[in-house]
Amino acid sequence: MHVKNETMTMSAILIQRWYRQYVARTEMRRRYTWHIFQSIEYSGEQAQIKLYNFLGYLMDNFTPASNERNLISHIFRENEVCRDAEWERYFCYKNIEVPEIYSGPHLTFPLTVEQAVGLVEAFRNKKQLHSRYVLQLLLETWKQLRMLPNINRISTCHSKEITICGDLHGQLDDLLLIFYKNDMPSLEKPYVFNGDFVDRGKDSIEILLILFSFLLVYPSEVHLNRGNHEDHIINLRYGFTKEVLTKYKMHGKRILKLLQKIFSWLPLATVIDQKVLVLHGGISDTTDLGVLARVDRHNVSRLQRRDTRAQPVCPLTRTSTRTSGPPTRCSCGGSRSRFSKPSAKGDRPSSTWETPRLKRRWLRPCPPSFKSVPTVFLVLLQILDLLWSDPMNQDGCVPNEVRGGGCYWGPDVTEDFLNRHNLQLLIRSHECKQEGYEFCHNRKVLTLFSASNYYDVGSNRGAYVKLGPDLVPYLFQYQASSMIRELTVRQSVGRTERSALKVLREQMFAHKTDLICAFKTFDSDNTGLVCLSDWASAVESVMHLDLPWRMLRYQLVPCKTNGGMIDYHEWFDELHIDQSLLETLYRHRSTFETIFRIVDADNSGFITIEDFRQTWMLLSVYLKMEITDDTISDLVVTIDRNQDGSIDIDEFMEAFRLTDKKSRLERGRSMFMGTATDLTKLEGDPNI
């Protein structure tokens, strides 16, 4: 009996030990998967700001008659198309007829509650609002927004709770689920939507139209804050521009122009009961609500264009009060997620065009009392901080080198800011969180993210928060996809992990040349082989993602090893992009597409061959690489297959979609749904 009990105890201990190891491995996979997604997302934002700096340099330093300046000058004239008195004539909708066969919703103004609710139901059923009504709704929204202050001040009462939503990013299913769980906006159900309504998701315009319609019906109960993605330059890269032009081919340009104007009029923040501040990104050690309340928010873009030359700034020692070491993001349970360190090339501006604007990124502004600093510059920095900043665990305030804009601010900055403005809580969004929300800085900062399944199905929950008169936050979590309810924890983590590894593999292939150079530093005999330790060191030296590369080796390098060595040439042979120019293009494909859409001034989706040449010349200056006319001519011949003298951006970008053998085989499985025997034959077929 004693032996039996001892055996049972040992079995229980073994099972417990196995389970703990399983949970630890699952958590580790979940964390590095998350880190892969966020690192790649933030590097894209950094590249976007860098591109904008470059375009600003062209505007400042090229002569007005230069081809390069003419190509991109129109994107900086958003407020110069016409004056306010002329906007209604410029965007007149009355000459647009609605055909009798149109089966979507019809709108009349002033808008009614029934029409706003009907619009929600129409979008739920995949219907599209006619462009006449879109323009009319946007014009009415613009008129309403112009009457609002920079900072909305609202209050709760005994019969009301205010619902606050974070980033939606074009994910209509999340907004519909919030309305289903919490009811639609009404006199008894006020809402604050905290920016980033658009980009990434496929239903951004529908979300905007729903929010704008409820704003018109309930102007005192619905409040919209501006996010960093409510910006026409950002929209060029992250999908909203393309979405509008695809859905509204005839009047898309006018819709985008009007939205550009509307975005500039969105309020910057909301204060609830004089105690809770709601804004999109965050604060810095110079944030002053008094200054932000007085600025002409719709002129920020214009001010930025006037202020593009070198500005007087203070050294980084201005914010050297934080503890040593890299900034770490706030995370649940007090754990810290280390940021990847910028590459040596990216640590400081190295080229002429980077210097004037990037000083804002690497150097913090002096205090407002520093008389040599222009007021306009300080105001601009405060707005950038408000839209782009993130909290960190350490005290102090440092430039946000990961995103490329805004800053990281610490608990001491939060404490000082709340005390100066007599506040008790700061609610912000801007960062995807796995649980949909996260408290930090002694629970005085709440991050709220409402786009569930943001990176992939099962990657994160969405959340919204309700505040009553006691101002105690009540949080509600959800996931919009029904698929996640059918998956076990292991299946959910595995699905998200595969998606992250696919993205990571593409990023690594896009840095093929740099990686091979790094491998060769460890391969002095040029054998094409490196050991696992050297492979991991080389990859980290190029990618700077701070990932457990040794553990990821089996997922990232499926080819066989030779005596424990990795054949890096065989690894890259899995990819069918071998030319250095095409590799460079793939690595910077988002930047190229952004430049393409900027050059496409009429938003037609096509540019002439001459403009295509100029686009390549811009790209060559931006990347600091030589691209000859002969090379561009060869590309033109390859891309312009129908010989019509114009280049289609979608076909061009699709030509550089990267695939490897493994992903092609996986698509083959889903397409053919063959038997195990059939698929085994496919795997062994060299032609597949």
Side-chain angles (χ1 to χ4, degrees):
M1 187 69 179
H2 176 72
V3 174
K4 183 177 181 181
N5 289 339
E6 187 175 327
T7 302
M8 291 177 62
T9 302
M10 290 298 297
S11 299
I13 292 174
L14 287 173
I15 292 173
Q16 188 180 57
R17 183 181 301 170
W18 172 86
Y19 179 73
R20 287 175 176 172
Q21 291 176 347
Y22 166 76
V23 171
R25 284 195 299 268
T26 302
E27 177 63 16
M28 183 169 58
R29 291 169 59 196
R30 184 182 69 85
R31 288 191 181 188
Y32 75 62
T33 296
W34 189 259
H35 192 69
I36 290 170
F37 278 130
Q38 283 205 327
S39 297
I40 293 173
E41 176 189 2
Y42 291 166
S43 69
E45 291 181 344
Q46 189 179 95
Q48 175 65 21
I49 292 180
K50 187 176 180 182
L51 175 62
Y52 187 69
N53 293 334
F54 166 69
L55 297 177
Y57 171 80
L58 293 183
M59 289 295 296
D60 295 336
N61 294 278
F62 280 53
T63 61
S66 66
N67 292 332
E68 292 85 354
R69 195 178 194 278
N70 289 337
L71 279 172
I72 53 93
S73 61
H74 65 92
I75 67 169
F76 295 112
R77 294 199 302 262
E78 65 273 11
N79 291 314
E80 299 172 12
V81 175
C82 49
R83 301 304 173 190
D84 288 347
E86 302 170 354
W87 271 82
E88 290 190 58
R89 292 198 301 273
Y90 186 84
F91 293 104
C92 182
Y93 55 86
K94 296 179 181 178
N95 59 345
I96 303 175
E97 295 185 0
V98 180
E100 293 182 2
I101 60 172
Y102 171 69
S103 60
H106 294 262
L107 302 182
T108 57
F109 293 84
L111 210 61
T112 64
V113 178
E114 291 74 20
Q115 288 178 315
V117 173
L119 198 59
V120 174
E121 294 306 316
F123 292 153
R124 189 196 307 274
N125 295 319
K126 310 301 180 185
K127 293 186 178 181
Q128 184 171 306
L129 185 65
H130 194 274
S131 55
R132 174 192 172 99
Y133 300 129
V134 172
L135 286 170
Q136 192 172 3
L137 178 60
L138 294 181
L139 276 171
E140 294 300 320
T141 301
W142 172 62
K143 294 176 186 177
Q144 175 64 29
L145 290 175
R146 293 180 63 199
M147 297 188 293
L148 298 180
N150 292 349
I151 301 176
N152 282 312
R153 296 186 179 271
I154 60 178
S155 61
T156 61
C157 66
H158 294 294
S159 61
K160 286 185 180 180
E161 287 183 319
I162 296 177
T163 302
I164 304 164
C165 300
D167 297 29
L168 289 167
H169 277 302
Q171 297 186 188
L172 181 61
D173 288 345
D174 288 298
L175 181 61
L176 296 178
L177 184 57
I178 292 171
F179 285 168
Y180 173 77
K181 294 168 70 72
N182 194 59
D183 288 337
M184 296 187 192
S186 65
L187 293 175
E188 294 74 32
K189 191 70 67 173
Y191 274 83
V192 176
F193 294 94
N194 200 23
D196 277 13
F197 318 118
V198 302
D199 280 333
R200 303 187 191 278
K202 60 183 176 63
D203 298 313
S204 296
I205 186 65
E206 285 79 7
I207 286 178
L208 282 181
L209 295 175
I210 289 173
L211 298 185
F212 291 162
S213 64
F214 279 112
L215 173 68
L216 294 176
V217 174
Y218 300 112
S220 299
E221 282 72 36
V222 175
H223 308 277
L224 309 179
N225 290 341
R226 183 175 182 176
N228 63 306
H229 278 262
E230 277 67 65
D231 182 288
H232 69 290
I233 304 294
I234 301 293
N235 300 153
L236 286 168
R237 187 184 193 101
Y238 290 103
F240 181 53
T241 298
K242 180 179 179 180
E243 177 192 332
V244 173
L245 294 176
T246 300
K247 292 179 178 178
Y248 294 96
K249 293 180 172 61
M250 185 173 295
H251 301 288
K253 181 181 177 182
R254 296 167 71 184
I255 292 171
L256 284 171
K257 203 69 180 178
L258 189 49
L259 282 169
Q260 195 172 318
K261 188 80 169 177
I262 287 173
F263 286 167
S264 71
W265 278 100
L266 285 170
L268 301 175
T270 301
V271 176
I272 302 173
D273 287 349
Q274 305 298 323
K275 290 294 182 181
V276 179
L277 175 65
V278 184
L279 47 74
H280 179 72
I283 60 175
S284 71
D285 51 359
T286 62
T287 301
D288 187 327
L289 294 185
V291 173
L292 291 171
R294 294 190 300 270
V295 66
D296 291 332
R297 65 181 185 274
H298 63 289
N299 284 330
V300 168
S301 298
R302 204 180 307 177
L303 294 174
Q304 189 171 358
R305 288 301 316 138
R306 291 181 188 142
D307 190 53
T308 54
R309 301 187 187 280
Q311 299 290 347
V313 291
C314 289
L316 192 57
T317 52
R318 159 77 178 83
T319 57
S320 60
T321 56
R322 74 169 178 85
T323 57
S324 61
T328 57
R329 257 172 295 175
C330 301
S331 57
C332 293
S335 61
R336 294 182 176 185
S337 172
R338 287 195 62 191
F339 284 119
S340 56
K341 298 177 182 178
S343 63
K345 296 179 182 178
D347 285 346
R348 290 289 184 270
S350 58
S351 60
T352 304
W353 63 263
E354 290 177 302
T355 304
R357 284 168 166 251
L358 287 188
K359 281 186 178 180
R360 304 178 187 183
R361 170 182 161 192
W362 300 109
L363 302 177
R364 299 294 306 150
C366 294
S369 60
F370 194 79
K371 296 182 179 180
S372 64
V373 180
T375 303
V376 167
F377 182 57
L378 290 173
V379 169
L380 173 61
L381 278 170
Q382 288 205 32
I383 294 177
L384 291 177
D385 288 339
L386 184 139
L387 297 177
W388 284 89
S389 296
D390 296 308
M392 66 178 179
N393 287 323
Q394 300 102 316
D395 285 346
C397 186
V398 298
N400 192 330
E401 298 174 3
V402 176
R403 289 189 189 269
C407 69
Y408 290 117
W409 87 93
D412 60 326
V413 176
T414 295
E415 190 72 27
D416 176 69
F417 176 83
L418 295 180
N419 289 338
R420 278 191 290 114
H421 294 90
N422 196 26
L423 299 168
Q424 67 184 44
L425 178 65
L426 190 155
I427 298 178
R428 42 95 60 179
S429 302
H430 193 46
E431 282 185 286
C432 182
K433 299 297 180 181
Q434 287 187 308
E435 296 302 320
Y437 73 94
E438 181 179 280
F439 282 100
C440 64
H441 295 183
N442 300 317
R443 296 183 67 85
K444 293 183 178 180
V445 173
L446 170 61
T447 297
L448 193 66
F449 198 83
S450 298
S452 65
N453 308 301
Y454 180 61
Y455 295 121
D456 195 8
V457 174
S459 64
N460 67 284
R461 297 181 181 183
Y464 60 90
V465 65
K466 299 175 74 171
L467 290 178
D470 58 1
L471 297 181
V472 175
Y474 294 91
L475 288 147
F476 298 83
Q477 298 169 287
Y478 56 86
Q479 279 188 300
S481 174
S482 60
M483 181 184 297
I484 191 62
R485 293 191 288 270
E486 303 170 2
L487 301 177
T488 65
V489 173
R490 183 177 181 180
Q491 290 171 330
S492 177
V493 172
R495 177 191 173 96
T496 309
E497 180 187 37
R498 286 192 296 274
S499 178
L501 290 172
K502 180 178 182 294
V503 174
L504 179 60
R505 195 179 295 116
E506 292 178 355
Q507 290 292 316
M508 294 174 73
F509 284 141
H511 290 78
K512 173 181 175 180
T513 302
D514 293 339
L515 284 169
I516 288 181
C517 290
F519 292 144
K520 286 184 176 180
T521 61
F522 294 99
D523 181 22
S524 56
D525 296 332
N526 200 26
T527 62
L529 302 174
V530 293
C531 67
L532 176 58
S533 169
D534 292 341
W535 177 87
S537 298
V539 172
E540 176 59 26
S541 69
V542 173
M543 303 303 296
H544 302 286
L545 295 178
D546 196 22
L547 292 172
W549 296 109
R550 293 169 66 96
M551 186 181 70
L552 293 173
R553 169 255 180 275
Y554 293 101
Q555 291 97 320
L556 296 173
V557 190
C559 52
K560 298 178 180 179
T561 59
N562 184 358
M565 306 291 282
I566 296 175
D567 187 332
Y568 54 87
H569 287 299
E570 182 182 347
W571 176 35
F572 283 118
D573 284 343
E574 293 286 318
L575 183 68
H576 290 267
I577 295 182
D578 299 320
Q579 301 177 46
S580 60
L581 178 60
L582 301 190
E583 177 196 339
T584 300
L585 175 58
Y586 181 78
R587 186 189 308 181
H588 299 281
R589 62 195 183 282
S590 296
T591 296
F592 187 89
E593 182 176 2
T594 303
I595 294 177
F596 192 115
R597 295 194 183 281
I598 290 172
V599 173
D600 178 23
D602 62 354
N603 294 316
S604 66
F606 297 87
I607 59 174
T608 65
I609 290 178
E610 182 55 35
D611 284 345
F612 180 76
R613 290 180 183 276
Q614 293 296 330
T615 302
W616 268 103
M617 298 312 295
L618 277 177
L619 189 66
S620 66
V621 174
Y622 176 71
L623 298 178
K624 298 187 284 288
M625 61 179 289
E626 292 292 333
I627 301 177
T628 65
D629 287 338
D630 291 340
T631 303
I632 298 176
S633 297
D634 292 340
L635 277 172
V636 169
V637 172
T638 303
I639 296 165
D640 187 20
R641 296 181 181 276
N642 58 4
Q643 302 296 314
D644 63 350
S646 62
I647 306 296
D648 183 338
I649 178 60
D650 293 324
E651 291 180 355
F652 178 68
M653 297 310 298
E654 178 65 17
F656 294 95
R657 182 169 55 86
L658 178 134
T659 60
D660 56 25
K661 293 179 181 177
K662 185 176 180 180
S663 61
R664 291 198 301 275
L665 182 58
E666 288 174 352
R667 286 200 304 278
R669 292 180 190 273
S670 61
M671 289 171 60
F672 299 115
M673 298 190 66
T675 63
T677 305
D678 295 332
L679 292 173
T680 302
K681 292 178 181 178
L682 286 176
E683 289 179 358
D685 189 341
N687 296 320
I688 298 300

